[in-house]
Amino acid sequence: MLRFLLNRIGLLIPTFIGVSIIAFSFIRLLPGDPILLLAGERGMTDERYQAEVVKYGFDKPIWQQYLNYLGDLLQGDFGTSFVTKKPVLTEFLTLFPATLELSLVAIVLAVVLGVPAGIFAAVKRGSFFDQSIMSTALVGYSMPIFWWGLLLIIFFSGILQWTPVSGRISLLYFFPPVTGFMLVDSLLSGQKGAFASAVSHLILPAIVLATIPLAVIARQTRSAMLEVLGEDYVRTARAKGLPPRRVVGLHALRNALIPVITVIGLSVGTLLAGAILTETIFSWPGIGKWMVDSIFRRDYEVIQGGLMLIAGIVMIVNLIVDLLYGLINPRIRHQ
Amino acid sequence: MSDTTATIPVDFSGRRATRAMLAEFWFYFSENRGAVIGLYVFLTLIAIALLAPLIAPHAPNEQFRDALLLPPFWQEGGRASFLLGTDAVGRDMLSRLLYGSRFSLFIGLVVVSIALAGGITIGLIAGFFRGWVDIVIMRIMDVILAFPSLLLALVLVAVLGPGLLNAMIAIAIVLQPHFVRLTRAQVMAEKTKDYVVSAGVAGAGPIRLMTRTILPNCLAPLIVQATLSFSTAILDAAALGFLGMGAQPPTPEWGTMLADAREFILRAWWVVTLPGLAILITVLAINLVGDGLRDALDPKLKRS
């Protein structure tokens, strides 16, 4: 297992270097002089310009610039926002809990609804339920989620006036962040109605973000179940006279879940991509909206640092999924 | 499936084999009702895109100053000349939606062509030569896949400058690794088979082996992936348009139309609902076809 672990971590190193090269090249590939871009429309004097060139190390050869950048990264220096003047890492860590909370709720929704729906569809293959579940899943899978979010806003916030349109919690409530998760913090604060407010703010974005993973998980669970239900050991279990619930729940499900877990793990990238759209629609103060705003503000150091951090998260999650997979399925470990 | 080598239309017998294969394919494809419906919807969309100038009642960017935010004709205040209403600057929604199909299909076609051509070439090279070439190529693909696709596309567009063409290039780059991985895996599986080895012994050079011998036998999964990427490309391009980084106003691209409509969501449902519905129908039709293709082309599922 340790060798497997080291092997997988070793494979990450070239990817990490590649990702850092992309993030590093990003500012240098932008049309125009990066220093003038940083200066914005005000421009700057010649001395100031020279000072900035030296400060950012643009006077050094490119490989040395890259090594410096890599050194900074390894020390946790991801640059400084040009707009807020705060370190990118600090901004990221302030906003990340919002995205994490939203993504966790979304993935829980997707799993809790998607796995049973998929199992049910597989067991009742060809039935009316199977067909409706699978049609719904295909619609969900094809959904432009930015439009889906707008529709939900029209219906639940506009017509029914049940949910607020944006933000994480009503302005009536204020408490210092403890965990960064609004659901937990609002409970800890003990303020009346704070938790309900947090839930009502979270529910629509979570549904929107969950839509595509939910559809993918339901489809994947169904096909994995169908495959497993045709296996010899399931037939044996049936032939032994075990009740259907036991056959499906114990013998089939355990084996069908392996590919499903992979799909869940791999939806992290999908979730983060979805978070960009979802957070923009609902003004959810997370890293997706942060990145989009930074692109519009031309806050290039934030984009550079954000790219690196987000890719880092995707890589780490994929590594964890890989390791879990190796843990469940020893054959992979020994390849 | 050694008979698939006969897909290269060299002589009469080859053409007959192709026809037989197409008949077999259609037999399995037409069993899937959803796929056939999807195909008809898709063909209708192509017809709409081609005939847009003939069937659209107005020019897509023509502004009718006396008809701002008119509702569809069946609602109070709607006019028969604007069947689906007008947007905030008095442009006919129906005409814009019809013209929009041109952009979506064009985006899908261009993106998939670029990603497919690049992906097949790189994947063939990686799978055929293996060794360090393969390692370098696959690590680069890993790097692209480490970014959430939409984020990378957004940043690429920020570098290249907003616009439809750059959005298409960015999406093609982001989708490419899937084709590379798929081609490589297929090539590696086919390379050691007898028919390839015998072609090599008979004196076929590496390029002929790659393109003539191996590639035709790898096409089935690539076709399925291309179909699914077609819909992903449309969705991503619309998302970029929605974020203001894709097609620029006044282009009647559906995602861009949605971005323009955002501020009216609580006042004029039609400007928001209709473009999104158009995207959904298009993507759904293509995904239905994709599912049908997968069932028809995947020999593993065929037997069941």
Side-chain angles (χ1 to χ4, degrees):
Chain A
M1 190 66 204
L2 186 69
R3 251 185 68 191
F4 175 71
L5 179 77
L6 289 176
N7 187 1
R8 287 298 145 115
I9 293 177
L11 273 177
L12 275 189
I13 294 172
T15 316
F16 171 80
I17 293 176
V19 167
S20 67
I21 290 176
I22 289 193
F24 170 79
S25 325
F26 162 70
I27 286 195
R28 286 154 184 87
L29 281 176
L30 284 167
D33 186 319
I35 300 287
L36 290 181
L37 285 172
L38 290 172
E41 282 165 13
R42 278 165 299 161
M44 49 173 64
T45 59
D46 270 356
E47 296 100 71
R48 176 83 199 286
Y49 181 83
Q50 289 308 327
E52 291 288 321
V53 166
V54 174
K55 181 181 153 201
Y56 284 98
F58 285 126
D59 54 336
K60 301 200 182 75
I62 193 95
W63 59 269
Q64 207 171 338
Q65 290 179 36
Y66 173 69
L67 287 183
N68 287 344
Y69 174 68
L70 205 58
D72 287 347
L73 282 186
L74 293 176
Q75 290 169 35
D77 178 4
F78 288 82
T80 309
S81 162
F82 203 72
V83 176
T84 62
K85 312 283 180 204
K86 282 190 212 152
V88 173
L89 187 63
T90 316
E91 286 202 339
F92 178 85
L93 291 176
T94 328
L95 297 171
F96 185 60
T99 302
L100 188 61
E101 181 179 41
L102 180 60
S103 309
L104 283 177
V105 174
I107 200 76
V108 168
L109 262 180
V111 171
V112 167
L113 297 175
V115 172
I119 295 174
F120 195 65
V123 174
K124 305 267 174 204
R125 184 183 188 183
S127 70
F128 172 72
F129 292 106
D130 178 24
Q131 285 175 1
S132 8
I133 288 174
M134 282 307 109
S135 315
T136 316
L138 194 68
V139 173
Y141 180 67
S142 312
M143 189 63 86
I145 59 167
F146 44 98
W147 175 67
W148 177 226
L150 294 178
L151 281 193
L152 292 177
I153 290 180
I154 292 182
F155 191 70
F156 288 104
S157 309
I159 298 175
L160 297 176
Q161 309 234 317
W162 283 359
T163 53
V165 180
S166 66
R168 292 181 76 189
I169 194 159
S170 162
L171 292 172
L172 295 172
Y173 306 100
F174 180 77
F175 38 82
V178 184
T179 58
F181 291 156
M182 206 50 94
L183 292 178
V184 183
D185 286 357
S186 61
L187 274 181
L188 289 178
S189 76
Q191 293 178 34
K192 217 177 152 195
F195 182 70
S197 171
V199 171
S200 70
H201 279 79
L202 179 68
I203 189 74
L204 287 191
I207 290 175
V208 170
L209 192 53
T211 302
I212 290 180
L214 170 58
V216 173
I217 289 172
R219 280 160 64 100
Q220 183 68 41
T221 309
R222 178 179 180 270
S223 67
M225 268 314 262
L226 281 181
E227 201 164 297
V228 171
L229 284 175
E231 296 279 345
D232 288 343
Y233 57 84
V234 171
R235 206 181 313 151
T236 314
R238 284 222 171 100
K240 277 198 299 190
L242 290 181
R245 192 177 298 170
R246 203 174 151 79
V247 175
V248 173
L250 194 72
H251 290 75
L253 185 60
R254 226 179 19 193
N255 290 291
L257 276 184
I258 296 177
V260 175
I261 290 173
T262 324
V263 170
I264 297 172
L266 293 179
S267 18
V268 173
T270 323
L271 276 178
L272 287 173
I276 294 173
L277 293 165
T278 313
E279 291 179 0
T280 307
I281 300 166
F282 290 96
S283 302
W284 187 263
I287 52 168
K289 186 171 182 302
W290 177 59
M291 286 301 279
V292 173
D293 290 347
S294 304
I295 288 175
F296 278 104
R297 281 189 220 132
R298 300 174 181 272
D299 197 344
Y300 295 118
E301 290 231 333
V302 172
I303 306 172
Q304 187 182 36
L307 267 181
M308 203 57 227
L309 287 161
I310 292 172
I313 289 175
V314 174
M315 280 158 61
I316 290 171
V317 173
N318 286 348
L319 176 72
I320 294 172
V321 174
D322 246 16
L323 296 180
L324 278 180
Y325 208 47
L327 215 58
I328 306 173
N329 191 348
R331 265 175 301 180
I332 292 176
R333 207 156 64 211
H334 295 300
Q335 256 172 19
Chain B
M1 283 187 55
S2 55
D3 60 337
T4 36
T5 40
T7 45
I8 310 155
V10 275
D11 55 19
F12 180 70
S13 65
R15 210 175 297 157
R16 201 165 55 187
T18 311
R19 207 177 304 153
M21 269 187 53
L22 279 177
E24 191 203 348
F25 161 75
W26 181 251
F27 174 77
Y28 284 109
F29 185 81
S30 57
E31 274 188 346
N32 186 332
R33 202 160 32 113
V36 177
I37 297 174
L39 185 64
Y40 285 138
V41 174
F42 186 62
L43 292 176
T44 313
L45 283 165
I46 293 178
I48 290 176
L50 291 175
L51 300 175
L54 297 176
I55 52 178
H58 304 281
N61 292 333
E62 193 180 358
Q63 301 182 4
F64 296 91
R65 286 289 168 193
D66 59 332
L68 305 182
L69 278 182
L70 280 186
F73 74 95
W74 62 85
Q75 274 196 335
E76 211 187 314
R79 280 192 223 158
S81 58
F82 304 109
L83 287 179
L84 295 179
T86 56
D87 67 6
V89 291
R91 292 172 297 199
D92 179 42
M93 284 300 289
L94 177 63
S95 308
R96 287 178 71 72
L97 288 171
L98 293 176
Y99 272 93
S101 62
R102 299 188 139 191
F103 290 93
S104 284
L105 297 180
F106 179 66
I107 290 164
L109 194 67
V110 172
V111 168
V112 169
S113 308
I114 300 176
L116 200 59
I120 287 180
T121 314
I122 300 173
L124 272 177
I125 292 172
F128 192 81
F129 291 113
R130 303 302 307 275
W132 65 268
V133 183
D134 181 34
I135 293 174
V136 170
I137 288 176
M138 292 323 284
R139 288 293 85 81
I140 294 175
M141 296 304 134
D142 280 351
V143 170
I144 298 178
L145 289 173
F147 296 100
S149 56
L150 188 64
L151 177 65
L152 188 57
L154 255 179
V155 170
L156 282 171
V157 173
V159 173
L160 299 167
L164 191 58
L165 178 70
N166 290 340
M168 290 194 291
I169 295 173
I171 297 167
I173 293 176
V174 174
L175 288 179
Q176 177 147 297
H178 300 286
F179 290 100
V180 174
R181 284 191 159 185
L182 205 55
T183 314
R184 173 178 173 269
Q186 287 286 313
V187 169
M188 276 161 48
E190 294 293 321
K191 210 175 89 172
T192 49
K193 290 197 177 156
D194 288 345
Y195 73 94
V196 180
V197 176
S198 65
V201 171
I207 300 213
R208 189 184 166 83
L209 274 182
M210 276 195 273
T211 55
R212 281 274 166 130
T213 316
I214 298 181
L215 187 59
N217 292 299
C218 305
L219 283 183
L222 283 171
I223 292 172
V224 176
Q225 179 67 35
T227 319
L228 297 177
S229 297
F230 200 101
S231 58
T232 313
I234 292 177
L235 274 182
D236 281 357
L240 287 179
F242 180 72
L243 291 172
M245 296 303 246
Q248 297 296 304
T251 315
E253 196 271 321
W254 293 332
T256 312
M257 285 169 74
L258 265 177
D260 292 346
R262 262 185 83 183
E263 46 185 311
F264 305 106
I265 56 172
L266 297 180
R267 280 205 282 146
W269 61 269
W270 57 95
V271 291
V272 181
T273 319
L274 298 174
L277 197 60
I279 301 173
L280 176 62
I281 291 173
T282 310
V283 172
L284 188 58
I286 296 167
N287 283 341
L288 278 169
V289 174
D291 274 6
L293 281 175
R294 197 190 47 212
D295 292 350
L297 293 173
D298 188 340
K300 256 192 290 180
L301 289 170
K302 235 183 233 178
R303 270 181 259 117
S304 60

